[in-house]
Amino acid sequence: MGFQLVISEGKEAGREFLFDQSSVVIGRTPECDVILYDAGVSRRHARIFDEGAGFHIEDLGSSNGTIVNGSKVAKQALKDGDSITLGPVKFTFAGVAGDVPEEPATDVPQEAGQHTRVVNASELKRSRNKGVAMLPKNVNTGEREKIERRSTTVMPALTGPRPSAPKVPRASRPSGPNALIKPNPAALPSPESESGLEQVKIGGAAEEQRLSAAERARLKRGGAVGAAKLFWIDASRPKRIAVAGGGGLFLFMVLALFVSVLLPEETKKKKPEAMVVTDEPIDQSYGVGEGVSYERVDQKEFEFQVKSPVDVMVVLHYQCSDLSENELNITVNGVDMGFAPPDTLAVNERTVELLIPSKHIKRNEVNTVIFDNMKNPPEKDPWRLWNVWIEVTVLPEKDPAGLKADANERFKRGEQKWEQRDIGSANRWEAYKAFRESWLTYEALDPDQRGPIYQLSRDKMNEARRELDLQCNKLLMQARGEFSQGKYEAASATLDWVEKFFPTKAHPCQLRAMQERAELASTLE
């Protein structure tokens, strides 16, 4: 049992192909059983084969796809009358019962392994087991090889399924080319051309170079420069414009970076210096020495405003380094609050908290905080202040008994979270916060009214704070270790865990994790 293919549309319409083998490949290369010399047909476009129960067709990864009865398919069974579209060519399929009748062989003669004879519709209308179609007349061997090697032209997508071609008597089928898919003569190589490099008019506009196989091979052997030349020759005009535009943009960015590096530091645009302190940590540093955002030889002043109808307490948070005993003095609204602590081994990990009592806070007015370095001037010893923010605690308008009840309730909540500190990642932080709220509530009472829970709240708060600091250091050290082993994704995931253990910037671990991430990323550049 065999089958028949008849070209129903396209150049050489009416041509028949008869096959008695179980597998037939259609494409644009000499190895195919049906050779269609058209740029819309891929080198190996489709295959028709017998699966025992009947013939099937499958697409071989073509550029324009294989269409059966108006629908693009990957594999499908065939029946008599089915319409098969490959690029601009449409076939009608029909099974042949019994043996395919013997006819004179129409295989194209070969010379040195290549087809040399040109077969067209006027010379031969039926081919058995092998066929060639859509090859322009009067082309030589080299020009035919170029047609075989050139890239497949991607055709416009169909807007909808096209109706199958009706079965009509063979005599009524058109024998001439279809005007809608007639190849552009200007796109074919000139028969008189003998050089490896030709000039072809594209759309009547700019000229593009086309290379012979030998010239292309020579450029490929030329390394990166040759590959670039080959890319430029093959590229369309829009692609060349895009490449040129991208190259110009890249050069502009390199020039901008070069100018940015050469400009003096003071001429570069900087974020305005913070003059107001809020409940969000300030990501700037002040003082004298390497790495400070804004140099302040002897002092840095901030303002803050508290809007509240009742009394409040303010906790001033900050970090400092390069300080000796009694060097950095702090005043609030002209009242001396004491000195910042001197350096320790963990100075960069330590956050300092200064409690400002309610009696020193101006509600609904501007308050002033001054960090004054007592050694500078006349000296210019290095010192640094950063991560400054305030925490406002509203004091409830209750009698001492009510304040004690609130403080005890918060202390109990802190104990519950502390017992569950190894269950939830944020429980340590929640326990610390509850102990701290209990301590601050007791601070609103007179010293002789506070009782033993006051000191216990403060001790538990400090214990929770130490564990939080240890947890922070553990996560950061783990991330560094993973990074040093090349486990970059694991290191990033470990730093992400910081936000789960420390869900607020009130603890400096979030800021330290951000700095650690930036420092590790800079080593990869």
Side-chain angles (χ1 to χ4, degrees):
M1 180 177 179
F3 66 92
Q4 177 189 57
L5 292 176
V6 179
I7 299 179
S8 57
E9 288 186 18
K11 187 178 180 182
E12 302 187 34
R15 180 164 188 161
E16 302 176 11
F17 299 89
L18 294 173
F19 300 95
D20 57 10
Q21 61 260 47
S22 60
S23 177
V24 172
V25 177
I26 306 173
R28 209 175 68 235
T29 61
E31 293 78 12
C32 298
D33 300 293
V34 179
I35 309 169
L36 303 177
Y37 286 105
D38 188 276
V41 179
S42 297
R43 293 177 176 86
R44 283 173 55 86
H45 198 112
R47 179 172 76 103
I48 300 176
F49 59 97
D50 186 5
E51 281 198 343
F55 285 97
H56 290 67
I57 187 169
E58 67 174 348
D59 187 77
L60 300 179
S62 64
S63 299
N64 291 306
T66 299
I67 300 172
V68 177
N69 297 330
S71 300
K72 187 175 290 188
V73 300
K75 179 181 176 182
Q76 182 169 309
L78 294 173
K79 61 183 183 297
D80 288 355
D82 278 350
S83 172
I84 303 172
T85 303
L86 308 177
V89 186
K90 180 182 286 188
F91 292 99
T92 300
F93 172 86
V96 178
D99 296 332
V100 177
E102 292 290 336
E103 296 184 9
T106 59
D107 289 356
V108 181
Q110 298 185 2
E111 179 180 332
Q114 299 291 336
H115 299 290
T116 56
R117 179 185 172 198
V118 177
V119 181
N120 58 48
S122 62
E123 295 174 351
L124 188 61
K125 297 295 291 182
R126 172 174 290 187
S127 300
R128 186 173 184 276
N129 294 338
K130 186 79 173 182
V132 178
M134 304 188 72
L135 182 67
K137 292 184 177 182
N138 302 322
V139 295
N140 55 38
T141 302
E143 292 160 352
R144 180 177 51 75
E145 291 176 351
K146 292 178 184 177
I147 298 176
E148 295 166 359
R149 289 194 304 268
R150 69 187 176 186
S151 300
T152 305
T153 299
V154 179
M155 303 179 64
L158 295 174
T159 57
R162 296 190 298 176
S164 303
K167 278 193 172 183
V168 295
R170 190 171 301 159
S172 65
R173 292 173 181 160
S175 58
N178 190 327
L180 293 178
I181 57 174
K182 182 177 180 180
N184 182 5
L188 296 175
S190 172
E192 291 79 12
S193 174
E194 298 180 356
S195 64
L197 185 63
E198 303 174 6
Q199 299 293 326
V200 182
K201 290 281 187 178
I202 304 297
E207 297 184 351
E208 296 184 359
Q209 295 175 321
R210 293 291 182 264
L211 299 176
S212 66
E215 185 67 16
R216 296 177 73 87
R218 184 185 67 79
L219 287 177
K220 288 181 179 179
R221 292 193 298 271
V225 176
K229 290 182 179 179
L230 187 60
F231 169 81
W232 186 260
I233 291 173
D234 288 342
S236 61
R237 174 174 291 182
K239 186 178 290 187
R240 291 181 181 179
I241 294 174
V243 170
L249 179 62
F250 175 75
L251 291 177
F252 175 78
M253 293 174 63
V254 171
L255 180 61
L257 179 61
F258 180 74
V259 172
S260 176
V261 172
L262 292 183
L263 281 175
E265 188 68 26
E266 58 270 15
T267 63
K268 297 179 182 179
K269 186 176 180 180
K270 294 176 64 174
K271 187 176 180 180
E273 180 180 359
M275 307 301 293
V276 177
V277 60
T278 66
D279 59 351
E280 284 291 326
I282 298 174
D283 59 353
Q284 298 174 357
S285 58
Y286 313 91
V288 177
E290 184 178 356
V292 298
S293 305
Y294 290 93
E295 184 175 290
R296 292 292 174 263
V297 176
D298 61 343
Q299 68 176 24
K300 169 60 182 174
E301 180 178 325
F302 293 103
E303 293 180 350
F304 69 91
Q305 191 171 8
V306 177
K307 295 182 179 181
S308 174
V310 298
D311 288 340
V312 297
M313 286 192 306
V314 172
V315 180
L316 177 65
H317 299 259
Y318 64 93
Q319 289 183 261
C320 55
S321 64
D322 299 324
L323 296 176
S324 59
E325 190 76 26
N326 298 332
E327 180 175 349
L328 185 63
N329 185 55
I330 304 169
T331 60
V332 176
N333 295 326
V335 179
D336 189 351
M337 294 290 162
F339 289 90
D343 288 357
T344 63
L345 293 177
V347 63
N348 289 322
E349 304 168 7
R350 176 193 63 186
T351 296
V352 184
E353 297 180 352
L354 176 63
L355 180 63
I356 306 174
S358 174
K359 61 183 179 180
H360 299 308
I361 302 299
K362 299 177 182 178
R363 288 187 285 119
N364 305 314
E365 295 184 37
V366 175
N367 297 266
T368 303
V369 179
I370 298 178
F371 294 85
D372 189 6
N373 191 299
M374 308 302 288
K375 290 188 176 181
N376 296 335
E379 294 86 356
K380 288 189 178 182
D381 290 340
W383 71 284
R384 193 158 74 101
L385 171 72
W386 75 98
N387 202 24
V388 183
W389 63 285
I390 59 171
E391 175 186 7
V392 179
T393 300
V394 176
L395 298 178
E397 294 182 323
K398 295 182 178 181
D399 56 17
L403 291 175
K404 280 186 178 182
D406 287 347
N408 291 339
E409 181 182 350
R410 288 163 180 163
F411 181 80
K412 289 179 180 179
R413 186 170 71 249
E415 286 186 317
Q416 291 174 354
K417 292 293 183 180
W418 186 249
E419 290 175 359
Q420 301 171 358
R421 62 187 181 277
D422 294 324
I423 298 176
S425 56
N427 280 349
R428 277 184 177 82
W429 174 257
E430 294 296 332
Y432 165 78
K433 187 169 65 172
F435 288 138
R436 194 167 185 281
E437 289 173 354
S438 175
W439 167 66
L440 289 175
T441 304
Y442 273 115
E443 283 286 346
L445 294 169
D446 294 333
D448 58 349
Q449 296 176 325
R450 291 171 182 170
I453 301 295
Y454 165 71
Q455 188 59 41
L456 189 58
S457 298
R458 189 166 187 173
D459 293 342
K460 296 293 289 185
M461 177 188 70
N462 292 332
E463 182 182 359
R465 181 56 181 263
R466 286 192 295 270
E467 285 217 11
L468 287 171
D469 292 342
L470 289 174
Q471 184 66 47
C472 179
N473 292 335
K474 179 181 177 181
L475 289 171
L476 297 182
M477 289 180 64
Q478 180 180 337
R480 292 189 202 109
E482 291 166 341
F483 186 87
S484 64
Q485 297 173 19
K487 301 176 182 178
Y488 305 128
E489 292 185 2
S492 179
T494 299
L495 292 175
D496 290 341
W497 270 97
V498 170
E499 293 188 6
K500 295 180 174 63
F501 282 96
F502 304 92
T504 173
K505 292 182 180 178
H507 191 283
C509 199
Q510 272 202 28
L511 179 62
R512 291 178 60 194
M514 292 172 57
Q515 294 170 343
E516 187 75 19
R517 192 186 297 274
E519 182 178 345
L520 294 179
S522 66
T523 62
L524 295 178
E525 297 177 352

